[in-house]
Amino acid sequence: MIDGAALLPAQVLRNLSDKLYDKRKAAALEIETAVKAAVAEGYDDRINAIIALLANDYATSAQPNQRKGGLIGLAAVTVGLGPDASQYLDRIVPEVLKSFSDSDSRVRYYACEALYNIAKVTRGDFIVFFNDVFNALCKLSADLDPNVQSAAHLLDRLVKDIVTVSDQFSIEEFIPLLRAHMSVLNPFVQQFLVGWITVLDSVPDIDMLGFLPDLLDGLFNMLGDSAHEIRVQADSALREFLHEIRHAPAVEYGRMMEILVQRAGSSDEFTRLTAVTWINEFVKLGGAQMMPFYAAVVGAILPCIADREEKIAAIARDTNEEQLARVREQSVADGFDVPAVVEIARRELRSSWEATRLEALAWIATLLHRFPHQLLDLMDDPSTALLESLLAALADESDQVVLEALSVQATVASHPNHFHRLLLLLLLRFNSDRALLDRRGSIIIRHLCAMLDADKVLRELAFILQNESDCDFAATMVPTLSLILLTAPELAPSAPSSSAPSLRPRHASPISCCGSAAPWPCFCSCCSCFCCCRGSWLLFLPLPLLLVLPSCARRCWWWGWWGWWWR
């Protein structure tokens, strides 16, 4: 085997390890000349001997100056080889890349310089080492020495130029590597990565949208970075991707939607705004494709409706209205998970924000209208506790929430199989929450009377109370129902509504008295309940009021007295 040292003059070998850069450069030029001569004469063994000498004796030497000389020498060999350099790269590039991790910053700097010259000569043939070069550049982009960073940036620009025009570059092999680096929090590395994403996205022959699900989470991480420049670059990249999505014929929404839903709950305001904006676009663009993700979207959007940032809240409201409109007006595609949406709406009824609770009730009302059988089945399922949650909403501090909850309950009660159960649960709620009964009991019952058949509601309540085992509760309820029967204006044929309070029902069907509509309640249906309760003060009506009652009502009062006395 030929000794590489015997092929070069002794002075060249001394200058190659000199501390002065000019002497090392002069020695590199001599090496380049020797390699060109060997190429011209076809001495392949001489070329291999020179490469082995530089790699083994210089590039890996313990002396920094010798390592520097070895690097500049390997670059000179590549320049001397010219078009034939590609067949020797596997013995040159790995040795240079090892020096990217050298403890001496000047050696790292010259490693960048050497690889720059090698890449400049070999161009497309250099792509075979792209992944290794990318890893090395990613590390050097965060180097503590600014000179090394500057040299790495120059090399990075050259590699980008080579990649964008090369037909040997494999984006499929590169994306896993890029994704692996996206979790790095160093701001210099993040800038480096965003730069590569932007460059690759600008290449017409590379479809980065297909790989966006792999990169989206990392871009959102950068969006929440404390460094302003990183946030701006990440936002710019995301805006460009969203623009492309708007004009793309087909988009894979699933994986991206999972990321966006998670990011919509971020503590960072800018991240939330961007995530909600993307969700809004996806809902509008995706159409039926988005139906399988509606449950997740509802869970992300409902809390954002009450966001302290008005822009986020406005976009969230628009998204929610878009979803509700699609459910109301369009045929629902396969994959729309009604129970999942209902469960999320039920969960959000416990939200601390009124706007969120109202929209949760809007979802339940919409689904009850659109899928009545499924919703009623869920009402019957004890594991869902849906009806119980609706009844719990009656204690809400917001009058508007209570009104909406009553509207949903009235819709449920309009179905015959659920009428008795709802009123029974309502009385159980009153029994367990006497504060609710005292504060809103009368208004709640009157509102149900307004939305349903008042006569039927009061008769059913009287029937349930007739079998109530808790006499104290029954004695409390009877005066409440008595007052409603005697004083509620909405139970009359016509009742003024201009002075009604916020929770007072405006319209109701009058209760019939012995077959005819009249403003007086029909005691006939409720007498058995009233006379069986020791708190039935209705039996002790003052004489003037008794005189103005219709004859049928006086008869019912008399039988009530008789039943009470008999007991």
Side-chain angles (χ1 to χ4, degrees):
M1 183 177 178
I2 300 176
D3 184 6
L7 300 175
L8 299 172
Q11 186 62 38
V12 170
L13 296 177
R14 282 194 298 272
N15 289 342
L16 196 60
S17 59
D18 198 275
K19 65 180 181 179
L20 297 177
Y21 173 75
D22 290 339
K23 290 187 176 181
R24 295 198 301 272
K25 184 176 181 180
L29 291 175
E30 292 290 338
I31 293 173
E32 179 184 338
T33 301
V35 170
K36 286 181 178 179
V39 170
E41 297 174 9
Y43 291 134
D44 182 68
D45 53 348
R46 293 184 181 184
I47 298 172
N48 287 326
I50 294 174
I51 292 173
L53 171 69
L54 296 172
N56 299 329
D57 295 354
Y58 283 83
T60 57
S61 171
Q63 299 298 321
N65 289 330
Q66 282 191 319
R67 297 199 296 275
K68 298 173 190 175
L71 292 168
I72 196 172
L74 289 171
V77 169
T78 306
V79 174
L81 289 169
D84 298 322
S86 59
Q87 56 185 310
Y88 298 95
L89 285 179
D90 59 340
R91 279 162 283 173
I92 296 175
V93 173
E95 298 301 328
V96 177
L97 288 175
K98 289 178 183 177
S99 299
F100 274 58
S101 301
D102 198 279
S103 59
D104 191 317
S105 62
R106 297 305 296 169
V107 174
R108 298 197 300 274
Y109 174 87
Y110 285 115
C112 290
E113 182 185 74
L115 198 59
Y116 181 93
N117 291 324
I118 293 170
K120 193 174 182 180
V121 172
T122 57
R123 303 296 293 188
D125 295 327
F126 180 74
I127 292 296
V128 68
F129 300 100
F130 173 76
N131 284 359
D132 294 330
V133 173
F134 181 85
N135 280 328
L137 284 174
C138 188
K139 184 182 296 183
L140 288 188
S141 64
D143 199 280
L144 298 177
D145 191 313
N147 291 323
V148 176
Q149 279 194 21
S150 178
H153 291 160
L154 287 174
L155 175 59
D156 180 50
R157 284 200 290 270
L158 176 61
V159 175
K160 286 174 180 173
D161 291 340
I162 294 172
V163 166
T164 54
V165 298
S166 174
D167 56 357
Q168 300 180 43
F169 175 71
S170 174
I171 184 67
E172 291 79 8
E173 295 180 5
F174 173 61
I175 289 297
L177 179 64
L178 180 60
R179 183 178 63 242
H181 286 287
M182 295 289 281
S183 59
V184 178
L185 300 180
N186 186 285
F188 296 106
V189 175
Q190 290 180 334
Q191 281 184 293
F192 171 78
L193 297 173
V194 174
W196 268 99
I197 292 172
T198 304
V199 166
L200 293 175
D201 189 45
S202 66
V203 180
D205 295 335
I206 297 178
D207 179 21
M208 285 295 287
L209 273 185
F211 302 100
L212 183 57
D214 296 306
L215 308 175
L216 189 62
D217 195 49
L219 286 171
F220 268 94
N221 280 334
M222 298 175 192
L223 201 63
D225 196 89
S226 57
H228 176 71
E229 188 174 355
I230 301 298
R231 296 167 73 98
V232 170
Q233 288 184 344
D235 181 53
S236 177
L238 286 168
R239 286 177 182 272
E240 182 60 30
F241 276 124
L242 188 57
H243 175 75
E244 294 175 20
I245 288 172
R246 292 191 185 107
H247 299 88
V251 179
E252 181 189 351
Y253 293 105
R255 291 174 57 197
M256 290 191 287
M257 185 55 68
E258 294 175 5
I259 297 169
L260 296 173
V261 164
Q262 180 185 3
R263 296 296 177 172
S266 171
S267 59
D268 179 69
E269 187 176 288
F270 191 42
T271 301
R272 285 201 312 279
L273 175 60
T274 305
V276 171
T277 301
W278 275 61
I279 291 174
N280 181 271
E281 291 287 344
F282 279 19
V283 169
K284 292 179 177 179
L285 294 172
Q289 296 180 58
M290 286 297 300
M291 285 291 178
F293 310 106
Y294 265 29
V297 174
V298 171
I301 289 297
L302 287 184
C304 291
I305 289 175
D307 199 279
R308 61 180 178 271
E309 172 58 43
E310 177 54 33
K311 192 171 183 180
I312 297 175
I315 297 174
R317 285 193 297 269
D318 180 65
T319 306
N320 192 60
E321 290 169 5
E322 180 73 20
Q323 287 183 291
L324 285 170
R326 288 182 183 275
V327 173
R328 291 187 188 115
E329 301 168 7
Q330 298 182 6
S331 59
V332 178
D334 293 337
F336 181 65
D337 193 343
V338 174
V341 177
V342 170
E343 175 56 27
I344 289 171
R346 189 192 68 81
R347 182 190 68 198
E348 293 302 329
L349 286 177
R350 300 192 298 269
S351 170
S352 56
W353 303 103
E354 178 185 0
T356 298
R357 298 195 298 274
L358 285 172
E359 293 304 321
L361 287 167
W363 268 104
I364 295 174
T366 299
L367 295 175
L368 185 58
H369 173 74
R370 192 72 173 78
F371 309 98
H373 297 297
Q374 284 185 259
L375 263 291
L376 292 175
D377 288 343
L378 291 173
M379 299 280 183
D380 293 332
D381 187 353
S383 63
T384 64
L386 178 56
L387 197 52
E388 288 75 7
S389 297
L390 290 171
L391 290 168
L394 297 177
D396 197 278
E397 60 186 13
S398 165
D399 287 353
Q400 189 62 33
V401 172
V402 176
L403 287 172
E404 292 298 325
L406 282 170
S407 178
V408 175
Q409 291 172 32
T411 305
V412 174
S414 65
H415 296 270
N417 294 337
H418 292 78
F419 180 76
H420 173 82
R421 180 165 179 255
L422 185 134
L423 293 181
L424 176 61
L425 290 176
L426 177 63
L427 289 177
L428 289 174
R429 173 66 59 175
F430 285 155
N431 194 5
S432 62
D433 188 354
R434 296 298 177 89
L436 174 64
L437 175 60
D438 295 338
R439 185 162 54 100
R440 284 182 174 153
S442 178
I443 296 254
I444 289 171
I445 294 173
R446 288 165 57 185
H447 200 84
L448 287 175
C449 288
M451 291 184 290
L452 300 167
D453 186 294
D455 185 66
K456 187 178 178 182
V457 170
L458 292 173
R459 287 174 185 270
E460 191 66 27
L461 289 173
F463 173 77
I464 296 172
L465 286 172
Q466 184 179 356
N467 300 290
E468 175 61 49
S469 59
D470 188 342
C471 293
D472 289 335
F473 172 65
T476 304
M477 279 301 303
V478 166
T480 301
L481 295 178
S482 301
L483 278 176
I484 294 173
L485 283 165
L486 288 172
T487 64
E490 39 299 310
L491 301 185
S494 61
S497 60
S498 58
S499 61
S502 60
L503 274 174
R504 176 172 292 178
R506 291 192 175 96
H507 304 287
S509 58
I511 298 180
S512 61
C513 184
C514 295
S516 61
W520 299 105
C522 179
F523 294 160
C524 304
S525 62
C526 305
C527 178
S528 59
C529 165
F530 296 158
C531 71
C532 292
C533 298
R534 56 186 175 85
S536 302
W537 55 268
L538 186 62
L539 301 177
F540 299 92
L541 289 174
L543 183 59
L545 181 59
L546 183 62
L547 293 176
V548 299
L549 290 176
S551 60
C552 63
R554 289 198 299 272
R555 285 196 299 270
C556 292
W557 175 82
W558 168 252
W559 284 111
W561 251 109
W562 176 258
W564 180 80
W565 179 83
W566 183 260
R567 294 178 68 238

